[in-house]
Amino acid sequence: MYSAHTVICGAGILGLTIARELLKAGCDDVILFDKEPALGRHASGRNSGVLHAGIYYDPGTLKARMCLEGNRRMQAYCEERALPLFKSGKVIVARTEDELDTLDELERRATANGGVVEMIDKKRLAEIEPNAFTVDRALYSPQTSVVDPRRILSAMREELETSGKVRFFFDTRFTGTAGPNRVATSQGDIGYKLFINAAGAYSDKVAQAFGIGEDYRLLPFKGIYHVLKKPAADRIKGSIYPVPNIKNPFLGVHFTRSVHGEVYVGPTAIPAFGRENYGILKGLDGEVLNILFRDMRMFMENKKFRTIALEEPRKYFFKHFFNDAAKLVKEIAPEDMLPSAKVGIRPQLVNIRTSQLVMDFVIEEAEHSVHILNSISPAFTSSMYFAELVVKEHVTAS
């Protein structure tokens, strides 16, 4: 049987940043295990790479508390290690006059969270993003940047392995608890003094194996993208986002120029039929019937969910995807958008007792274990500061 002082389930961005913080706190014996053969196979390696700047989140929430400082730390990490970093900025545009009140609310939230934003007119917008369309005004975020998530993951892995204090176990799937201070995996039992659940899309299942989080379930949402071809791509300078519906956690289809120069359009938030349902049928799992009959019923009975369930799946069809994106720019044609292999799954936490989407990060504790649930956007942005909170407030303080 393997053992370590601290065992982390999940080698995504949170698992890696928590391991870094543990080393800073003096822990010198960490096992980090993951069911995949390499880093970045799911959300941490498939996200857009955008470092958010604290605009969307209610002041006082963990997301609001973590995002902006996480952004600063991740930018500094990239600069220190010469990793790709594009200080792109972002504009949030209003598609209709009805969205202007929400745009004002985003300005209020960003300012309350310590962010730097500027409400700009159409003339200023045209200087920043010449092809962006807005009604009356737009919100400009100069602190938004873009990174290469996989390069960051690789750099952190190298840093941790070089320390000699962290062991990585890949192709190692969590299968349950195996008695006091011991978990069962596909490669055998692993003993621990502290177990940290950073399992992303499967964190609810891992938590429930410890007898906690019974009211929670993670529902998968699929994010599909298209990519712009030239010369249309040249007309997008940074990131163009719509005013979102702030009652749900999705930001809407948007334009993002990557650190490598590609311009992606997306993602959607289509209810998916599996936690790894990246294709039409690829990734369907044993939960598909539950998702079809149990979760879709919940969606149709809840007004907030029903909008997502009815509107988002239409974006599988190019016409609807294109029409949604075209509202953000002055000039674009259907032939400017090409299919992209880029696709991700966003696991959204739902409280099944109240049938409500959980909007904030959730951290639960059990005896000798800490469980991170709902590690969705801006989790990548927030990760370095979030990891410090986990270690200081839930590990060393316990």
Side-chain angles (χ1 to χ4, degrees), residues 246-277:
I246 57 176
K247 294 181 180 179
N248 73 50
F250 307 114
L251 299 182
V253 168
H254 49 268
F255 293 80
T256 300
R257 177 173 289 277
S258 80
V259 290
H260 303 297
E262 307 96 340
V263 175
Y264 288 99
V265 190
T268 57
I270 301 169
F273 297 116
R275 301 181 193 223
E276 298 176 26
N277 179 211

Short mmCIF file of all heavy atoms in Angstrom, two decimals, residues 246-277:
data_model
loop_
_atom_site.label_atom_id
_atom_site.label_comp_id
_atom_site.label_asym_id
_atom_site.label_seq_id
_atom_site.Cartn_x
_atom_site.Cartn_y
_atom_site.Cartn_z
N ILE A 246 -27.10 37.25 -15.39
CA ILE A 246 -26.35 37.08 -14.14
C ILE A 246 -27.08 36.20 -13.14
O ILE A 246 -26.57 35.93 -12.04
CB ILE A 246 -25.99 38.43 -13.50
CG1 ILE A 246 -27.25 39.27 -13.24
CG2 ILE A 246 -24.98 39.18 -14.36
CD1 ILE A 246 -26.95 40.58 -12.52
N LYS A 247 -28.25 35.70 -13.50
CA LYS A 247 -28.96 34.76 -12.63
C LYS A 247 -28.47 33.33 -12.84
O LYS A 247 -28.85 32.44 -12.09
CB LYS A 247 -30.47 34.85 -12.86
CG LYS A 247 -31.06 36.19 -12.44
CD LYS A 247 -32.57 36.23 -12.67
CE LYS A 247 -33.15 37.57 -12.24
NZ LYS A 247 -34.62 37.64 -12.49
N ASN A 248 -27.69 33.11 -13.91
CA ASN A 248 -27.08 31.79 -14.08
C ASN A 248 -25.59 31.96 -14.29
O ASN A 248 -25.11 33.07 -14.55
CB ASN A 248 -27.77 30.99 -15.21
CG ASN A 248 -27.41 31.50 -16.59
OD1 ASN A 248 -26.25 31.69 -16.93
ND2 ASN A 248 -28.42 31.72 -17.43
N PRO A 249 -24.80 30.90 -14.14
CA PRO A 249 -23.34 31.04 -14.12
C PRO A 249 -22.65 31.01 -15.48
O PRO A 249 -21.43 30.98 -15.54
CB PRO A 249 -22.90 29.83 -13.28
CG PRO A 249 -23.95 28.80 -13.55
CD PRO A 249 -25.23 29.55 -13.76
N PHE A 250 -23.41 31.01 -16.57
CA PHE A 250 -22.81 30.91 -17.90
C PHE A 250 -22.67 32.30 -18.52
O PHE A 250 -23.56 33.14 -18.37
CB PHE A 250 -23.65 30.00 -18.79
CG PHE A 250 -23.92 28.66 -18.16
CD1 PHE A 250 -25.22 28.29 -17.80
CD2 PHE A 250 -22.90 27.77 -17.91
CE1 PHE A 250 -25.48 27.07 -17.22
CE2 PHE A 250 -23.14 26.53 -17.31
CZ PHE A 250 -24.45 26.18 -16.97
N LEU A 251 -21.58 32.53 -19.25
CA LEU A 251 -21.28 33.88 -19.75
C LEU A 251 -21.71 34.11 -21.18
O LEU A 251 -21.65 35.23 -21.67
CB LEU A 251 -19.77 34.15 -19.61
CG LEU A 251 -19.22 34.10 -18.18
CD1 LEU A 251 -17.74 34.44 -18.18
CD2 LEU A 251 -20.00 35.03 -17.26
N GLY A 252 -22.15 33.07 -21.88
CA GLY A 252 -22.62 33.24 -23.24
C GLY A 252 -21.50 33.07 -24.26
O GLY A 252 -20.31 33.19 -23.97
N VAL A 253 -21.88 32.79 -25.50
CA VAL A 253 -20.93 32.65 -26.60
C VAL A 253 -20.19 33.97 -26.80
O VAL A 253 -20.80 35.04 -26.83
CB VAL A 253 -21.67 32.24 -27.89
CG1 VAL A 253 -20.76 32.35 -29.10
CG2 VAL A 253 -22.20 30.81 -27.76
N HIS A 254 -18.86 33.89 -26.93
CA HIS A 254 -18.06 35.11 -27.07
C HIS A 254 -16.87 34.85 -27.99
O HIS A 254 -16.60 33.71 -28.39
CB HIS A 254 -17.59 35.61 -25.71
CG HIS A 254 -16.97 34.56 -24.84
ND1 HIS A 254 -17.68 33.82 -23.93
CD2 HIS A 254 -15.68 34.11 -24.76
CE1 HIS A 254 -16.87 32.97 -23.31
NE2 HIS A 254 -15.66 33.13 -23.79
N PHE A 255 -16.17 35.92 -28.32
CA PHE A 255 -14.98 35.86 -29.17
C PHE A 255 -13.74 36.01 -28.29
O PHE A 255 -13.67 36.93 -27.47
CB PHE A 255 -14.98 36.99 -30.20
CG PHE A 255 -16.05 36.89 -31.24
CD1 PHE A 255 -17.35 37.28 -30.96
CD2 PHE A 255 -15.76 36.42 -32.52
CE1 PHE A 255 -18.35 37.20 -31.92
CE2 PHE A 255 -16.76 36.33 -33.49
CZ PHE A 255 -18.06 36.72 -33.19
N THR A 256 -12.74 35.13 -28.49
CA THR A 256 -11.50 35.21 -27.71
C THR A 256 -10.30 34.95 -28.60
O THR A 256 -10.21 33.89 -29.23
CB THR A 256 -11.49 34.19 -26.56
OG1 THR A 256 -12.58 34.44 -25.68
CG2 THR A 256 -10.19 34.28 -25.77
N ARG A 257 -9.38 35.90 -28.64
CA ARG A 257 -8.10 35.68 -29.32
C ARG A 257 -7.16 34.98 -28.35
O ARG A 257 -6.92 35.47 -27.24
CB ARG A 257 -7.49 36.99 -29.80
CG ARG A 257 -6.12 36.83 -30.47
CD ARG A 257 -5.63 38.12 -31.08
NE ARG A 257 -6.42 38.46 -32.25
CZ ARG A 257 -6.22 37.97 -33.49
NH1 ARG A 257 -5.25 37.08 -33.69
NH2 ARG A 257 -6.98 38.34 -34.49
N SER A 258 -6.63 33.84 -28.75
CA SER A 258 -5.76 33.05 -27.87
C SER A 258 -4.34 33.59 -27.86
O SER A 258 -3.99 34.47 -28.68
CB SER A 258 -5.75 31.58 -28.32
OG SER A 258 -4.86 31.41 -29.42
N VAL A 259 -3.52 33.06 -26.96
CA VAL A 259 -2.11 33.47 -26.91
C VAL A 259 -1.36 33.08 -28.17
O VAL A 259 -0.29 33.61 -28.44
CB VAL A 259 -1.40 32.86 -25.68
CG1 VAL A 259 -1.90 33.48 -24.40
CG2 VAL A 259 -1.54 31.35 -25.66
N HIS A 260 -1.90 32.14 -28.93
CA HIS A 260 -1.22 31.67 -30.14
C HIS A 260 -1.82 32.29 -31.41
O HIS A 260 -1.42 31.91 -32.51
CB HIS A 260 -1.28 30.15 -30.21
CG HIS A 260 -0.69 29.49 -29.00
ND1 HIS A 260 0.64 29.62 -28.65
CD2 HIS A 260 -1.25 28.71 -28.03
CE1 HIS A 260 0.87 28.96 -27.53
NE2 HIS A 260 -0.25 28.40 -27.14
N GLY A 261 -2.77 33.23 -31.24
CA GLY A 261 -3.29 33.98 -32.38
C GLY A 261 -4.59 33.50 -32.98
O GLY A 261 -5.20 34.20 -33.78
N GLU A 262 -5.05 32.30 -32.60
CA GLU A 262 -6.35 31.85 -33.11
C GLU A 262 -7.47 32.63 -32.43
O GLU A 262 -7.33 33.04 -31.28
CB GLU A 262 -6.57 30.36 -32.86
CG GLU A 262 -5.47 29.45 -33.36
CD GLU A 262 -4.49 29.09 -32.27
OE1 GLU A 262 -4.43 29.82 -31.25
OE2 GLU A 262 -3.76 28.09 -32.45
N VAL A 263 -8.57 32.80 -33.14
CA VAL A 263 -9.74 33.45 -32.53
C VAL A 263 -10.85 32.41 -32.45
O VAL A 263 -11.35 31.92 -33.47
CB VAL A 263 -10.21 34.66 -33.35
CG1 VAL A 263 -11.50 35.23 -32.76
CG2 VAL A 263 -9.13 35.74 -33.37
N TYR A 264 -11.21 32.07 -31.20
CA TYR A 264 -12.26 31.09 -30.96
C TYR A 264 -13.58 31.79 -30.66
O TYR A 264 -13.61 32.87 -30.06
CB TYR A 264 -11.88 30.19 -29.78
CG TYR A 264 -10.78 29.21 -30.11
CD1 TYR A 264 -9.45 29.49 -29.74
CD2 TYR A 264 -11.05 28.03 -30.79
CE1 TYR A 264 -8.44 28.60 -30.05
CE2 TYR A 264 -10.04 27.14 -31.10
CZ TYR A 264 -8.74 27.42 -30.73
OH TYR A 264 -7.73 26.55 -31.06
N VAL A 265 -14.65 31.14 -31.10
CA VAL A 265 -16.00 31.63 -30.83
C VAL A 265 -16.71 30.54 -30.04
O VAL A 265 -16.78 29.39 -30.46
CB VAL A 265 -16.77 31.93 -32.13
CG1 VAL A 265 -18.07 32.66 -31.82
CG2 VAL A 265 -15.91 32.74 -33.10
N GLY A 266 -17.23 30.90 -28.87
CA GLY A 266 -17.88 29.94 -27.99
C GLY A 266 -17.53 30.30 -26.56
O GLY A 266 -17.00 31.38 -26.30
N PRO A 267 -17.78 29.43 -25.61
CA PRO A 267 -18.45 28.14 -25.77
C PRO A 267 -19.96 28.23 -25.52
O PRO A 267 -20.46 29.21 -24.97
CB PRO A 267 -17.80 27.31 -24.66
CG PRO A 267 -17.59 28.33 -23.55
CD PRO A 267 -17.26 29.62 -24.25
N THR A 268 -20.63 27.18 -25.90
CA THR A 268 -22.03 27.01 -25.55
C THR A 268 -22.14 26.49 -24.11
O THR A 268 -21.12 26.26 -23.46
CB THR A 268 -22.67 25.97 -26.48
OG1 THR A 268 -21.92 24.75 -26.37
CG2 THR A 268 -22.65 26.43 -27.93
N ALA A 269 -23.35 26.30 -23.64
CA ALA A 269 -23.58 25.66 -22.34
C ALA A 269 -24.73 24.66 -22.52
O ALA A 269 -25.80 24.78 -21.90
CB ALA A 269 -23.90 26.69 -21.27
N ILE A 270 -24.49 23.68 -23.36
CA ILE A 270 -25.52 22.71 -23.73
C ILE A 270 -25.54 21.58 -22.70
O ILE A 270 -24.50 20.98 -22.42
CB ILE A 270 -25.22 22.13 -25.13
CG1 ILE A 270 -25.19 23.24 -26.18
CG2 ILE A 270 -26.25 21.06 -25.50
CD1 ILE A 270 -24.66 22.80 -27.54
N PRO A 271 -26.69 21.27 -22.13
CA PRO A 271 -26.76 20.10 -21.23
C PRO A 271 -26.19 18.87 -21.92
O PRO A 271 -26.58 18.53 -23.04
CB PRO A 271 -28.25 19.97 -20.94
CG PRO A 271 -28.79 21.36 -21.08
CD PRO A 271 -27.99 21.96 -22.23
N ALA A 272 -25.25 18.20 -21.28
CA ALA A 272 -24.56 17.05 -21.87
C ALA A 272 -25.07 15.76 -21.23
O ALA A 272 -25.70 15.77 -20.17
CB ALA A 272 -23.06 17.18 -21.68
N PHE A 273 -24.76 14.64 -21.88
CA PHE A 273 -25.24 13.33 -21.43
C PHE A 273 -24.13 12.49 -20.83
O PHE A 273 -24.13 11.27 -20.94
CB PHE A 273 -25.92 12.61 -22.60
CG PHE A 273 -27.13 13.33 -23.10
CD1 PHE A 273 -27.16 13.84 -24.38
CD2 PHE A 273 -28.23 13.53 -22.28
CE1 PHE A 273 -28.27 14.52 -24.85
CE2 PHE A 273 -29.35 14.20 -22.73
CZ PHE A 273 -29.37 14.71 -24.02
N GLY A 274 -23.19 13.15 -20.21
CA GLY A 274 -22.10 12.46 -19.55
C GLY A 274 -21.04 13.46 -19.14
O GLY A 274 -20.92 14.53 -19.75
N ARG A 275 -20.26 13.11 -18.14
CA ARG A 275 -19.24 14.03 -17.63
C ARG A 275 -18.04 14.13 -18.56
O ARG A 275 -17.20 15.00 -18.37
CB ARG A 275 -18.81 13.58 -16.23
CG ARG A 275 -20.00 13.55 -15.27
CD ARG A 275 -19.60 13.14 -13.87
NE ARG A 275 -20.79 12.82 -13.08
CZ ARG A 275 -21.00 13.19 -11.82
NH1 ARG A 275 -20.09 13.88 -11.18
NH2 ARG A 275 -22.11 12.85 -11.18
N GLU A 276 -18.00 13.25 -19.57
CA GLU A 276 -16.96 13.33 -20.58
C GLU A 276 -17.57 13.20 -21.97
O GLU A 276 -16.96 12.68 -22.90
CB GLU A 276 -15.90 12.25 -20.34
CG GLU A 276 -15.21 12.40 -19.00
CD GLU A 276 -14.22 11.28 -18.69
OE1 GLU A 276 -13.70 10.65 -19.65
OE2 GLU A 276 -13.97 11.01 -17.50
N ASN A 277 -18.78 13.74 -22.15
CA ASN A 277 -19.53 13.64 -23.40
C ASN A 277 -19.08 14.72 -24.37
O ASN A 277 -19.83 15.63 -24.72
CB ASN A 277 -21.03 13.75 -23.09
CG ASN A 277 -21.93 13.68 -24.30
OD1 ASN A 277 -22.99 14.29 -24.31
ND2 ASN A 277 -21.54 12.96 -25.34
#
